[in-house]
Amino acid sequence: MTIDFEKKYVRWNLILIGLLIVLFFTIVVTITIGSAGPIGSGNPEIIPMQAVWDILIGKSHLWPDPYKTIIMDIRLPRILLAALVGCALAVSGVVMQGIFRNPMADPFIVGLSSGAALGASTSILSGLSISIGIYSTPFLAFVGAGLTVFGVYFIARSRGKVRVNTLLLTGIAIGSFLTAVTSFFMYMANEQFRFLFFWLLGGLYKASWNTVAIAFSLILLGVIIIQFFARDLNAMVLGEEPAMHLGIDTGSVKKILLIFSSLVAGTAVAFTGIIGFVGLITPHIMRILVGPNHRILLPASALAGAIFLIWSDTIARTILSPTEIPVGIITAFCGAPFFVYLLQKSKKGKR
Amino acid sequence: MNKRKRITRLAAIAMACILILAAFIVISYITQLKESERQTGFAVIDDYGRAVTVPKNPQRIISLAPGCTEIIFAVGLGTRVVGVDDYSNYPEAAKNITEIGSYLNPNLEVIVSLEPDLILASDMTSKEYITSLKEKNLTVFVLAPKAIEGIIRDVRLVGIIGNKTKEADNLTNSLEQRINAITSKTSNSSLYRPKVYVEYYPYWTYGPGSFGNDLISMAGGKNIAATTATAYSEITNEFVVRSDPEIIVFTVGLHSSTTIKDIISRIGWDKFDAVKNNKIYTIDDDIISRPGPRIVDALEHLTRLIHPELFSLEREKYDNRF
Amino acid sequence: MLLKIADLSFSYQSSKILDGVTFEVKSGEFLGVMGPNGSGKTTLLRCISYVLSPRGTVLIDGRDIEELSKKEIAKKIGFVPQTSNIDFEFMVSELVLMGRTPHMGRFKSESTYDFEIVEKAMKLTNIQHLSERAFDELSGGEKQRVIIARALAQEPKILLLDEPTVHLDIRCQLEILNLVKNLCEQERIIVISVFHDLNLASQYSDKLILLNRGRIFSEGFPDKVLTSENIRRIYQIEAIIKRHPITNVPYVIPFLYAKNDKKMKGPTVHVICGGGSGTPAMKLLLDNGLKVTCGVLDVLDSDFEAARNFKIPVVGEIPFSQITNESNKANIDLIKKADFVIITDFPVGPGNLKNIEAAEVALDFKIPVIIIESSPVYQRDFTQKNLEEYFKRLKEKGAIFVENLESALKEVLI
């Protein structure tokens, strides 16, 4: 054969390996950063670097108990949750942008965030979290997100088919409605208003090994299944009809992708509130860097999203210690300039 | 082909949802079971109705709310406080203690690294947060009084927990005396109750269920917002105008920038008795909103404003404790 | 392979786009679909590829397309749309590779065979040198070739093209259609292509379908479908149908309807012509409000066809023969009724010499004869030098010689 197809796959594998290495180092480095040290921004930094190493390799008895608690029960689960959520939001963003062929699409575009917010507010304000347990809020947020997506899909469907434009507009409309309802609840809520408001801003402070376990299983399941539809996504961005002409059953592919993307994003939102920007920008950045083929775009975005959110969260929880800045602010602050820079660079390249 | 596929698909989705729900419930249950294991100490029931095993003589106390901080210091445990939230500014000594973040989102790492043996929290910290603190094997005791009697009860509880029962009793007695001195006069049914409007933020006022509302009533006034739906609500200008308050009080502190000029320039307000008689007053935001001993200071201040004729008799008894 | 379309109908909500379309195509056949805007051409293609669900049947080798999954359909039918706007920066090789999608399972990756097919498709469309380029940087012709390559990578038995050459320059148009035609013949693919250009359709199609308002107005070989009558009925323009000089397929020359108002009371001009020289004269005279007749013309002569198109009374003659007495007499009758006679510069041979003699009769009847002499006489004299003498005689009798058609017209209008 005169054309070398394999070259592209080798390049892809290198990219993924590179990203995995960066992710690994990110986790290793950020585990040493935090309010309690060794790398922090003020007092009290009490944990020395040696302690981090010892605790990680199992020699935690050499150091006071709280050190182990901080490193293994507070920081590490939080970093892992950030990785999972960043991965989930990025992958979901890629899928939404692919299905809707719209660069403005993000994981929440079908009303997912509004549904989750309404679910969370129901849980917080009704005091259900006392009776069912602390997981009532994530669960209801997840249920809210899921029901909203289903609702939007069924409303947008006509004669058995769903046009992406209809789906988009229905999602926006219903999302706005649910947001209004939630705002009303918040307004009437009084004391719990604070909690809901804080939940909406998004944050990873609820991370624990339990949440990581649930998030891991759901998000990994979703991301893997979505990866199998990479080829379908490639065809779908060409257009509804070209995809059909290539043999893709666009109706059911759309449905499946919506379900799993919502599963993944819904899980993320359930545990961390609404963290914007990651799902919108990571796909664009990775598309500029690795190209639009979803077979590389999906895994690369997953890894990049994880790395991005870990760093953003680390900054958010350390820079003004002990106060924690909502991570959504950091993602926007850092992500936006980087994205603009990339855009400029790619424009120049074209000329 | 179509219908069958649809049914099996719906079944699969339903199955998945049930599994997820089951997972949530199971984990949640396990977590709650963990909470009930505790080490040595004695059980006290906190304001959430939970039996908390507190250590016998706590030496390292963290406070997650300014109200809790004030109570802790008031019973003499101030030297044992190792961490406070960033709003705790009273007494003066509290300002120098390590900050652990805001009461909404306290910094877990800092809290754990301070190795506290007792954490006092308010209802302003979310239950999820408290649970994650408990998951780290920390003792959290919640103070969430709903009325002034509750605050007094909390002072006693903290005294019991911190082994400062004598100081706590002294304080509570003094507080109750001061309260009684006022309420014995103001509960007189023939007393004229002037209409009072208190605001902590432009048009935001205290409704039923809030301390402010109780204080106005105890101080012998009539809160114009006594019938609002929620404890903290925004009311319309029209409502205030209709109510025609005789006394206006607004809070001052870190969050407010309202001035008397702002108040009298509001539309329709120049007709109020309060404005005509120059009965527009201020009150320290902290003492009226925090569930701590200074709530009684707030009560005395309000009574002085609403019934100056009553208060002047009791001036000697005003206790400027700390 | 046999593609059978039976009674195909399709409506968008309440408006009927296609109505009872029925036809067949065999392997190796190139079917052209034509019709005015809104006649349902594109809809027809989309119904055949089953992205729309029409009523009626589409049978591929006897199997109803309804029973096939989208994947199986894509293995048999490839579709090339008019334009492809791809917003994302896919590489050419990636795009062509997407054509293998219907053949690949979800959990498999590409095999060597897949790559071979893609390479073959790119070879056939001559885009190998573009394989690493970004699609949106290519020219229109290159883009179209990529899309065709992608369709070919599907290994289709049926190739559907929707006005494939609309935005392309002449060379690209021919390149692509030649390519498709070769594929049709060599690989025995069924090709159905919608054309907007009648001549391209005629050139490349084995059979044609002319659609009008969702129904088949005419179908069959190009000769049968491309007639001026059909074109007048469907497109409402006049056209002369000639033979393509090289390929001998019908060649449509359209023109706007010449004014032929019977109410005109202008003078009548009899045009003696042939070999195509008379057509512009007839048109010019008609446009200026004059009545026109002509003769004698060989029925295969394009002037004869033009005269029929213009609805001008004309005397025809059997081809390759002398002018008969009857024809001559008919011609002279027409001349007598005319007010002017114009002789255009047509080649004169023994066969039509009598036309010049007829002009003499005109002069005898005091009817002005205007002879257009835009080229030297000897160039069109095939009568062994008789023509010059005839012209001399005509001149002596008062014939006017002018240099071109416009001057002739001036003479008439004075």
Side-chain angles (χ1 to χ4, degrees), chain A residues 1-3 5-6 8-9 228-229 231-232 237-238 241 244-247 287 292-293 295 350, chain C residues 46 49 51 70 74 79 86 88-90 94 98 102 104-110 115 119 150 154:
Chain A
M1 279 186 288
T2 52
I3 305 175
F5 293 98
E6 299 290 330
K8 193 175 55 181
Y9 298 130
F228 283 128
F229 284 81
R231 236 179 250 132
D232 304 68
V237 300
L238 298 176
E241 279 202 12
M244 287 205 272
H245 284 132
L246 286 174
R287 218 175 267 119
N293 194 324
R295 291 183 64 195
K350 274 195 186 170
Chain C
R46 288 159 79 203
S49 69
V51 297
K70 282 254 156 26
F79 193 101
I86 299 178
F88 297 99
E89 283 183 35
F90 283 107
E94 281 178 327
M98 282 193 216
M104 291 195 291
R106 180 157 287 129
F107 305 103
K108 289 189 227 142
S109 59
E110 292 89 5
F115 290 135
E119 178 146 11
R150 185 182 75 196
Q154 292 173 244

Side-chain angles (χ1 to χ4, degrees), chain A residues 10 16 18 94 115 173 290 332:
Chain A
V10 168
L16 290 179
V94 172
V290 305

Side-chain angles (χ1 to χ4, degrees), chain A residues 33-37 43-44 46 64 66-67 69-70 73-75 124 127 129-135 137-139 142 150 157 187-188 190-191 194-195 198-199 205-208 210 214 218 252 255 259 263 270-271 317 321-324, chain B residues 6 9-10 13 17 20-21 23-25 27-29 31-32 34-35 50 86 98-110 112-115 123-129 131-132 135-136 146 200 204 209 229-234:
Chain A
I33 304 179
S35 305
N43 61 320
I46 49 162
Y67 289 18
T69 310
I70 292 175
D73 291 331
I74 297 178
R75 241 184 247 172
I124 292 173
S129 27
I130 318 175
S131 34
I132 292 184
I134 57 150
Y135 287 102
T137 306
F139 178 67
F142 184 79
F150 271 115
R157 194 165 73 156
Y187 188 72
M188 304 259 49
N190 277 288
E191 290 109 47
R194 282 179 274 244
F195 303 145
F198 218 67
W199 186 92
Y205 44 87
K206 290 195 266 327
S208 67
N210 288 334
I214 299 179
L218 290 174
S252 68
K255 228 188 275 182
I259 290 176
L263 172 75
F271 287 122
R317 63 183 164 84
S321 174
T323 309
E324 197 180 295
Chain B
R6 210 185 270 174
R9 212 174 275 170
L10 278 173
I13 295 174
C17 290
I20 295 174
L21 169 60
F24 270 109
I25 293 184
I27 293 185
S28 161
Y29 194 64
T31 323
Q32 292 206 23
K34 259 179 142 190
E35 277 174 35
R50 287 185 174 152
D86 49 11
T98 310
E99 284 182 13
I100 49 96
S102 80
Y103 50 79
L104 267 181
N105 193 13
N107 192 315
L108 268 178
E109 283 191 17
V110 178
V112 170
S113 66
L114 289 171
E115 299 185 68
D123 59 357
M124 294 195 292
T125 304
S126 72
K127 297 193 186 78
E128 292 156 341
Y129 220 90
T131 311
S132 42
E135 276 177 352
K136 313 284 182 277
K146 288 283 167 266
Y200 59 90
W204 284 82
T230 48
Y232 304 94
S233 34
E234 185 180 19

Side-chain angles (χ1 to χ4, degrees), chain A residues 94-136:
Chain A
V94 172
V95 172
M96 289 292 131
Q97 286 175 4
I99 295 183
F100 290 101
R101 291 185 279 281
N102 188 326
M104 295 309 302
D106 71 3
F108 310 126
I109 204 171
V110 278
L112 204 135
S113 56
S114 319
L118 189 57
S121 63
T122 312
S123 163
I124 292 173
L125 302 176
S126 67
L128 267 176
S129 27
I130 318 175
S131 34
I132 292 184
I134 57 150
Y135 287 102
S136 75

